[in-house]
Every structure is written in C-alpha cells, then in structure tokens.
Amino acid sequence: MSTSKLAWDDFRLIKAIADAGGLTGAAAALNVNHSTVFRRLGQIEEQLGHALFERRKTGYVATSAGEEMTTLASRIDEDVTAFGRRLAGRDLAPSGDLRVTTTDTLYLHVLLPIFAAFRAAHPLIRLDVVMASQTLNLSRRDADVAIRASDSPGETLVGRRLANLNWAVYARADAPATEAEAHEPKLLFRRDWVALGDPLGYVKAARYVRDHVPAERIALRSSAVLGLTEAVEQGMGIGPLPCFIADQRPGLVRLLPPDPDFSTGLWILTHPDIRHAPRVRAFMDFVGGELAKRKALLEGAG
C-alpha cells in the first residue's frame, strides 16, 4: 500500500462518489467524464490495495476505508474553506466581489434602491445578488452576507436584527371590511382567500391560513409572495401579505392590523471570519443603516 502519491484531487473524487452514491453524480459534481472517474477510482484503489466502495445495484457504498478517506476529505475541505474565509477577512480596502443572498420580495420592494446607493458610494465593490427562499450556507461561502427573515438566524453567524417584518390581511381596495367584519373578524373566513403554496408552507402566515380558512374558500395558492400580492390585487381573494409590499400598493386595503403572530425578524448577517473585511463592513454598515431608516415601512407602521 502506498499513499505517498495521493493528491487532494483524489480525496475530492472519493468524497464526490460517496456524496453522490455513484459515478455519474460524482462526474457531474467534478465536471469531468464518467470514464475519468471510473478509471481514477480504480487507480486509487489499486494504489492503496483496498476497495473503497462496494458496487451495489443501488449505487456505490463506501467501505470502512472509503469512509475514512471521505471523512478526511471533508475535514481538508473545511480547513481550506476556513483558510479562504480568513484570507477574505484580511482585505485592505473596500473593493472586490461581494455575494449577497436575500429573497426576491425584499430585493424588489426594499433593497434594490439601497444597493444602487451603496454602489454609488463604493464603486469598487461589485455585488453578486443571489435570490433564494432557502437559506444559503455562509460558513461554506455560498454567500458573504445574508439579508434574511428569520427567528433563528444561526448561532455561528454575526450581525444584527434590523426590524420585524410584519404581515396583515389585505383585500382589493374596492372590497374593504364590512362593518360586521370589522366587529367580528372571523366573518372574513367566509370570503375567498389566496394562500402561499407548499414550498412556502413554513411561513407563519401560510400556517395561519391553513389552520383557519376552510379549504373550499382558498381560491388560489401561490409559490411566491409576489404572486400572492398580485392575486389579491386582482380580486381573487383576501390574504395575508407583508406590509412593506402591500402598503405601497394603492390598489390594496388593509382589513386587519398587523398580526404579531405573523411577524419575523429581519437580519443582516455574515460569518465571523470575514466580518472585519472592509467590503463586508462597508456593506453591512451602509445597508443596515438604510434599512433602519425604513423600519416603519417594514413593520407596517407607516
């Protein structure tokens, strides 16, 4: 057995096969040919004198030696990533690329003009904005900064809570609450509603509709908050919407005050290793300050 000629790429290949459970997925992850993965795996196993995977009908399953090599590869990968984060934290000037993750609703209705103002103030920083409903991993450098709605932003991240993102129930402007509904809000459940679909079923407002509104009264489900807002504006039904979107639409009217049960914190976050990088610090200070100025809008108090 000889390990002297093993390279980092060999460890990456074994880890990719273990993660994918086969050669095809590993080849795609590494951006190489299937035959290259097959040939190199055979060479590594011959060099080590041990089988690293059991070939089963369901895919490739790591042997004890394969598991040990995969674990070591993961540890090396984490160390390399941490080293990159520390280097990024030593930037000397507010310049370079900055990847920011947020949601499409925050980007379109609140953040875009703030980003434009930030670029005018810091023209050497180039923004790469990733819009995603699901949380990206800042520890893995999937993004440098996250602006996200969350009640549990993660203990390994640093940043601050800027505001509460409040929601309320809205209708089209020509269908305000009746006097009876104003006195007895439960009567609103007799109306048609629009609701968030399963991809956003974890959102508090979605759970509220699911728990209180009869299924036959839900006229439409939307996989995006933007789609929900448009549906209410078209008169398809009433529904809970973020105040920072709905309050800027003259075609909508609020039926009930913001419900604290729908509220979620708005955070700006980064990883501790890069928090002092000039480009990260400049962005978080600037954007955090601008969002704080818009707290009334975000909380539906404007």
Side-chain angles (χ1 to χ4, degrees):
M1 178 183 71
S2 173
T3 61
S4 59
K5 294 183 179 180
L6 285 179
W8 164 231
D9 283 347
D10 298 330
F11 285 88
R12 288 180 62 236
L13 183 139
I14 299 305
K15 183 178 184 297
I17 297 173
D19 290 344
L23 303 185
T24 302
L30 297 172
N31 197 27
V32 297
N33 295 327
H34 179 281
S35 59
T36 300
V37 177
F38 177 80
R39 182 176 62 255
R40 187 52 191 152
L41 173 60
Q43 293 170 345
I44 295 171
E45 289 183 324
E46 182 178 355
Q47 181 179 344
L48 294 176
H50 289 280
L52 298 175
F53 294 94
E54 296 178 9
R55 282 72 165 171
R56 299 180 182 176
K57 291 182 178 180
T58 55
Y60 278 51
V61 178
T63 63
S64 59
E67 289 179 352
E68 187 173 351
M69 193 167 179
T70 300
T71 299
L72 180 56
S74 297
R75 191 160 63 244
I76 294 172
D77 190 31
E78 291 171 0
D79 288 345
V80 170
T81 300
F83 175 69
R85 286 200 308 266
R86 289 193 295 273
L87 282 184
R90 296 173 187 168
D91 289 350
L92 299 178
S95 63
D97 296 327
L98 187 74
R99 174 170 282 195
V100 182
T101 178
T102 190
T103 64
D104 53 1
T105 51
L106 284 168
Y107 178 74
L108 291 173
H109 291 277
V110 181
L111 293 174
L112 189 51
I114 296 176
F115 288 177
F118 173 78
R119 270 283 298 168
H122 298 279
L124 297 180
I125 299 177
R126 300 176 296 275
L127 298 179
D128 178 6
V129 182
V130 181
M131 285 175 278
S133 297
Q134 301 303 317
T135 301
L136 297 187
N137 191 332
L138 299 191
S139 296
R140 295 282 303 162
R141 294 298 302 279
D142 291 341
D144 300 308
V145 177
I147 303 171
R148 69 173 60 145
S150 177
D151 289 323
S152 52
E155 295 181 359
T156 61
L157 305 177
V158 294
R160 58 184 173 127
R161 184 172 181 142
L162 301 169
N164 292 321
L165 290 180
N166 285 336
W167 294 52
V169 176
Y170 291 83
R172 195 162 71 173
D174 60 4
T178 65
E179 186 176 345
E181 289 170 338
H183 285 88
E184 186 53 67
K186 289 183 179 179
L187 294 176
L188 292 172
F189 298 142
R190 297 179 182 177
R191 293 205 199 189
D192 285 340
W193 284 64
V194 298
L196 292 170
D198 290 340
L200 292 175
Y202 60 90
V203 176
K204 294 176 181 179
R207 294 201 298 266
Y208 173 84
V209 175
R210 188 167 60 243
D211 293 343
H212 293 88
V213 180
E216 63 270 16
R217 302 308 308 183
I218 298 179
L220 175 140
R221 297 183 188 275
S222 172
S223 63
V225 176
L226 288 178
L228 204 65
T229 304
E230 300 296 337
V232 174
E233 202 163 36
Q234 290 297 319
M236 295 191 69
I238 65 175
L241 301 172
C243 296
F244 71 85
I245 297 178
D247 286 347
Q248 299 186 79
R249 300 283 187 102
L252 297 176
V253 62
R254 193 185 290 180
L255 299 181
L256 297 172
D259 190 329
D261 289 339
F262 299 168
S263 178
T264 305
L266 176 64
W267 293 79
I268 185 167
L269 302 160
T270 189
H271 193 277
D273 287 352
I274 60 172
R275 65 185 300 185
H276 296 302
R279 71 189 190 286
V280 174
R281 189 169 62 248
F283 181 84
M284 294 186 68
D285 288 347
F286 186 97
V287 175
E290 290 299 312
L291 285 172
K293 296 176 185 177
R294 293 161 172 80
K295 186 175 181 180
L297 172 67
L298 296 167
E299 297 188 344

